[in-house]
Amino acid sequence: MSAAPRFSVIGGATVNEILDGDPQAVVDVVRRAYLTHGEQQTVNPPSYFLRFPDRPDSRIIALPAALGGEFGVDGIKWISSFPANIASGLPRASAVLILNDHETGYPFACLESSIISATRTAASAAFAAAQLHTDRDRPRSVSFVGTGLIARYIEKYLAATGWEFDTITIHDTSAEYAESFRGYLTGLGRPGRITVAPGAEEAVRASDLIVFATTAGTPHVHDLDWFAHNPTVLHVSLRDLSPEIILNSTNVVDDVEHCLKADTSPHLAEQLCGHRDFIDGTLYDVMNGKVRPSADRPVIFSPFGLGVLDLAVGVTVYQEALRRGLATPVDNFFHDLSRYA
């Protein structure tokens, strides 16, 4: 009988230590995962949303996936979003990632995954921004609409991958959070002018790269004229923009089937017009030169967030934790392994 895989636990401090050291390497892991997905060596079924009638703004999402190719790992991310946590000082999101052996199906690791989730989201956004400007000058101005953990990670990954901005504009519905984010960036010594915009309109009009990282459940940005300067938009929170803005832009997604569901802005656009022709392609198509964004309309990247990215980053963390002796084994986690005791 084959031995069951050893089961290990990897906590957030170890995850952070490993991922914090080389952001460019993490972006490369995400790049390779996108290639593997584009080459159809993945299984990435729909996410499952656990919702609560008594807490309509909260949810827990299950993202199962299988990642083949060079990675060879299966698993699931279980991530909760409870916005009310923020008022009590807790982060909105918490998560774990379970990794399963590709051959036996046995789980072999449980990792704290809020950091993995934020990291893969930020690495994906930074990578997409670079890919969308392969044939165009990179913007020198950036606006962040929403100033939570995801915005912080995206700003970090943009800076770590060579983006330089003359101006950084910040907007949040909470003036306190916006000022805190400005203070955080100032403390990092980021070059350029850092300002807080009084509204989303001022933030959008101010920059050529816009990052939406909010907790919005329905579109709150409706005016096409705000985008008349044809910015690149990293629509990470997926539900900020009206269908009309989507329909009048170049649209790139990470996965068409995943992105056009759950009342995302692209999904609402599909419901409005009755087709998907407004989707110009996927990030994989951009990587392969099949889609080349032009400068004559806004360019919007809407990533639903693929479970295969969590697996790619998670298994990389696991392997490095083993190498450094930082994974904590749980002895005898699997017990009754004999068919007939």
Side-chain angles (χ1 to χ4, degrees), residues 12 14 37 91 112 118 133 142 154 164 187 196 211 221 235 252 262 298 319 329-330 335-336 339:
T14 297
H37 183 65
E112 196 286 331
H133 290 88
V142 63
I154 292 174
E164 296 179 352
V196 173
V211 178
V221 176
H235 189 208
V252 176
Q319 291 165 350
V330 181
H335 173 60
D336 194 353
R339 186 165 189 173

Side-chain angles (χ1 to χ4, degrees), residues 17-30:
E17 177 182 337
I18 292 171
L19 291 178
D20 197 46
D22 192 349
Q24 187 60 61
V26 179
V27 172
D28 187 61
V29 169
V30 167

Side-chain angles (χ1 to χ4, degrees), residues 14-97:
T14 297
V15 172
N16 185 71
E17 177 182 337
I18 292 171
L19 291 178
D20 197 46
D22 192 349
Q24 187 60 61
V26 179
V27 172
D28 187 61
V29 169
V30 167
R31 178 190 66 82
R32 286 153 36 211
Y34 273 129
L35 286 174
T36 304
H37 183 65
E39 292 162 1
Q40 301 184 341
Q41 298 182 63
T42 65
V43 181
N44 207 112
S47 304
Y48 181 82
F49 287 71
L50 176 61
R51 300 187 183 276
F52 312 96
D54 60 329
R55 293 158 288 166
D57 64 338
S58 300
R59 63 185 187 267
I60 307 179
I61 311 173
L63 286 83
L67 179 60
E70 65 177 283
F71 297 97
V73 65
D74 309 328
I76 188 169
K77 180 174 72 172
W78 181 240
I79 182 167
S80 66
S81 174
F82 279 55
N85 286 351
I86 297 173
S88 62
L90 277 176
R92 172 187 60 85
S94 58
V96 295
L97 176 68

